[in-house]
Amino acid sequence: MKKNLTIKETAEAVKSGEISAKEIAARYLNAVGGKNGEINAYLETFDDALARAEEIDRKVAEGGDAGELAGVPFAIKDNILIKGKTCSAGSKILENYTAAYDAAVIEKLRAAGAVFLGRTNMDEFAMGSSTENSAFGPTKNPRDTERVPGGSSGGSAAAVAMDGALAALGSDTGGSIRQPAGFCGVVGLKPTYGAVSRRGLIAMASSLDQIGPITKTVEDAETVFNVIKGKDKFDSTSLESKNPKSEIRNPKQSQNSKLKIGVLKYDRSGVSEEVNEALDESVEKLRGLGHEVEEIDLPNLRYSLSCYYIIMPAEVSSNLARFDGVKYGFSKQGDDLLGDYMATRAGGFGREAKRRIMLGTYVLSAGYYDAYYGRAQKVRALIRKDFERVFDSPGRIDAIITPTAPTPAFKFGEKTADPLQMYLSDIFTVSANLAGVPAISVPAPEGKDGLPIGIQLIAPWFMEDILFKIGKQLQP
Ligand code: GLN
């Protein structure tokens, strides 16, 4: 079998009997066995992965349809429920929690023939940009083990980058799919809010969270997205992903049409030189392909990080209220019921979770609600309007290009002492979550020091097609 098969080619090879799903799973598990001790991408590999692969092979042998993802080995972020498996969200408080049902995305991948190899490391409850906030130790960046893989889906990005899975699922609340994909030199897609069901995703901030693929190529991200998207009657925020205006957006000029791409104006002095250069090169490449390129300013984006760090902790504080020692997971007794809550939460949550619960409780408290939470919601509406203005007005922009993060992967410990420095990693990514628009991170040609750099593309709501189209042209 040739190397570097895409997901589609792999599934085809399995269905034609050219290779067995079992052989693929064994190969990947073997690679994980060799590398995971150092990288710590996986918290656990599943002992039923090979049996599941055999089941796919039997289906093929019996002449049944083994599915679009037949035998494709997946790594799943530890906050997405797989029935019967531990799902800890990288936390001590859920360390021994067993999922009671399959997440909607797992149902869909399973029906399409995917094989789940294991669950991947992450920042506790998806809070972080480096995977250093995991209760189970950090993940290392396979491209440079002195550096972080990004976060919070650092385990999923590292699993794909170290050839420990052909594809992975992550979750993205403020950049947690795109930023680690950028740091590890792989592709990460945050779909439009509502395009993919959140049923069975352990909630961080429900109005921002989306599940999406992390893969080697844009083609693969597209394949996975097309399997997991769609309305789910158990998630009232999910929607059918069909956008009547898509490629479609410009029906007269279909497939090879030239697009209008907005280059986001930003403060270049706050971004590392190699990232600025990588962006310039990508813009030149797009111009060379005949796309129209124009600098654009989204004036309210400068407030997006402040706005995110008010709305997100507010939702975190309410979503994490359920972890009280009574309903789920870790439990510690105090002198009375309140004492139980306090002992459980003090002993069960890590520092970052506690910090955000306190911030969130504060911004939602009666005296400060209007000054912080209420105001942040208004700013969020303005940020959304900025996107509407460029995407929906005459002479409209088809996609926006920005760096994914202000620097390449940083070293361990570099930002742990100062949470604000860590939060700045999200400066380019959070606005897509606040506005609900889809965004993808695609690897740029590598810089001088050989570290991967991600380039972010942002498209209008439900127009992931545009991201795939430009992303394919941009990827090396
Ligand atoms: N790094 C961001 C944060 O810490 C984003 C997290 C995420 O997308 N889950 O909130």
Side-chain angles (χ1 to χ4, degrees):
M1 197 173 94
K2 67 178 171 116
K3 273 196 88 156
N4 298 330
L5 291 186
T6 64
I7 288 179
K8 278 197 172 141
E9 290 165 342
T10 303
E12 284 314 315
V14 168
K15 289 199 270 193
S16 69
E18 192 186 322
I19 184 167
S20 71
K22 187 176 178 189
E23 195 182 332
I24 296 174
R27 257 191 225 178
Y28 275 92
L29 286 172
N30 197 28
V32 175
K35 294 174 188 160
N36 203 51
E38 183 181 17
I39 304 294
N40 197 28
Y42 282 91
L43 293 175
E44 180 192 1
T45 49
F46 299 142
D47 46 21
D48 60 0
L50 288 177
R52 162 70 178 159
E54 280 172 348
E55 191 186 306
I56 305 291
D57 291 331
R58 267 199 304 278
K59 215 166 191 179
V60 173
E62 286 161 7
D65 182 8
E68 213 178 320
L69 302 177
V72 175
F74 270 78
I76 304 294
K77 189 176 181 179
D78 187 36
N79 59 352
I80 298 171
L81 305 190
I82 304 177
K83 189 176 177 177
K85 304 288 183 206
T86 301
C87 192
S88 76
S91 75
K92 178 176 168 191
I93 211 161
L94 288 179
E95 184 173 3
N96 298 313
Y97 173 71
T98 302
Y101 62 95
D102 274 340
V105 290
I106 296 297
E107 283 176 358
K108 290 194 166 191
L109 290 183
R110 213 190 272 289
V115 172
F116 307 119
L117 296 181
R119 60 188 172 95
T120 55
N121 200 15
M122 56 182 282
D123 287 297
E124 180 180 357
F125 287 105
M127 300 177 201
S129 306
S130 66
T131 318
E132 290 168 292
N133 295 335
S134 166
F136 307 105
T139 295
K140 290 183 181 167
N141 189 323
R143 301 290 300 273
D144 177 347
T145 52
E146 284 178 17
R147 292 174 191 268
V148 303
S152 62
S153 312
S156 287
V160 174
M162 73 179 196
D163 289 318
L166 189 49
L169 289 185
S171 68
D172 191 312
T173 305
S176 279
I177 289 175
R178 291 161 283 161
Q179 185 256 21
F183 278 15
C184 294
V186 294
V187 174
L189 169 74
K190 181 205 86 75
T192 307
Y193 184 77
V196 175
S197 169
R198 289 179 295 109
R199 170 166 54 99
L201 170 68
I202 296 179
M204 175 181 164
S206 313
S207 78
L208 302 160
D209 298 342
Q210 268 293 285
I211 295 172
I214 295 179
T215 53
K216 281 269 166 71
T217 62
V218 175
E219 288 80 357
D220 284 354
E222 181 175 17
T223 305
V224 177
F225 172 68
N226 284 329
V227 171
I228 63 175
K229 72 180 183 185
K231 173 143 187 75
D232 169 17
K233 66 176 177 190
F234 298 115
D235 174 359
S236 61
T237 62
S238 68
L239 282 165
E240 210 44 65
S241 221
K242 255 208 164 106
N243 191 308
K245 289 191 277 180
S246 196
E247 178 112 40
I248 317 175
R249 192 170 158 83
N250 236 332
K252 275 176 253 121
Q253 342 164 343
S254 67
Q255 286 306 328
N256 48 8
S257 63
K258 304 297 176 223
L259 298 170
K260 196 164 181 180
I261 297 168
V263 184
L264 183 74
K265 206 163 137 190
Y266 63 91
D267 175 10
R268 291 176 72 102
S269 68
V271 172
S272 77
E273 205 182 297
E274 61 264 55
V275 172
N276 285 328
E277 281 172 13
L279 183 77
D280 292 344
E281 281 170 29
S282 299
V283 169
E284 275 321 303
K285 188 166 176 186
L286 293 176
R287 209 194 295 273
L289 289 165
H291 297 299
E292 206 179 311
V293 175
E294 154 187 331
E295 193 178 62
I296 57 160
D297 190 14
L298 302 183
N300 293 297
L301 247 51
R302 74 181 59 129
Y303 306 119
S304 56
L305 205 58
S306 335
C307 179
Y308 172 79
Y309 275 95
I310 292 172
I311 291 174
M312 174 275 295
E315 296 186 20
V316 160
S317 72
S318 94
N319 273 326
L320 268 49
R322 74 192 71 174
F323 303 110
D324 56 6
V326 179
K327 304 181 197 73
Y328 304 91
F330 175 82
S331 178
K332 203 168 170 193
Q333 290 229 304
D335 293 334
D336 50 17
L337 185 62
L338 185 62
D340 292 352
Y341 292 162
M342 290 176 67
T344 296
R345 292 167 67 83
F349 285 129
R351 283 173 68 86
E352 188 61 27
K354 283 179 186 158
R355 183 177 1 254
R356 295 191 193 198
I357 291 169
M358 285 193 282
L359 277 172
T361 308
Y362 180 82
V363 301
L364 288 175
S365 61
Y368 295 101
Y369 185 97
D370 290 336
Y372 292 102
Y373 186 73
R375 188 165 286 209
Q377 289 293 16
K378 288 181 187 154
V379 174
R380 183 178 189 173
L382 292 176
I383 291 169
R384 193 183 161 96
K385 281 216 173 89
D386 272 1
F387 282 104
E388 278 170 5
R389 187 173 48 79
V390 294
F391 284 147
D392 290 339
S393 54
R396 65 202 181 176
I397 296 287
D398 294 296
I400 299 170
I401 184 168
T402 81
T404 301
T407 63
F410 43 88
K411 295 202 165 151
F412 288 98
E414 212 174 287
K415 296 184 199 251
T416 39
D418 182 356
L420 289 181
Q421 278 304 314
M422 190 71 90
Y423 296 171
L424 274 172
S425 310
D426 308 326
I427 190 134
F428 290 112
T429 46
V430 294
S431 59
N433 302 74
L434 289 166
V437 287
I440 196 168
S441 178
V442 179
E446 264 153 48
K448 299 189 267 304
D449 52 5
L451 286 176
I453 291 173
I455 297 297
Q456 174 177 242
L457 297 164
I458 308 175
W461 297 267
F462 293 103
M463 295 195 190
E464 280 82 0
D465 280 1
I466 295 179
L467 300 180
F468 299 138
K469 177 172 174 170
I470 307 173
K472 284 173 199 169
Q473 296 176 341
L474 213 50
Q475 69 188 349

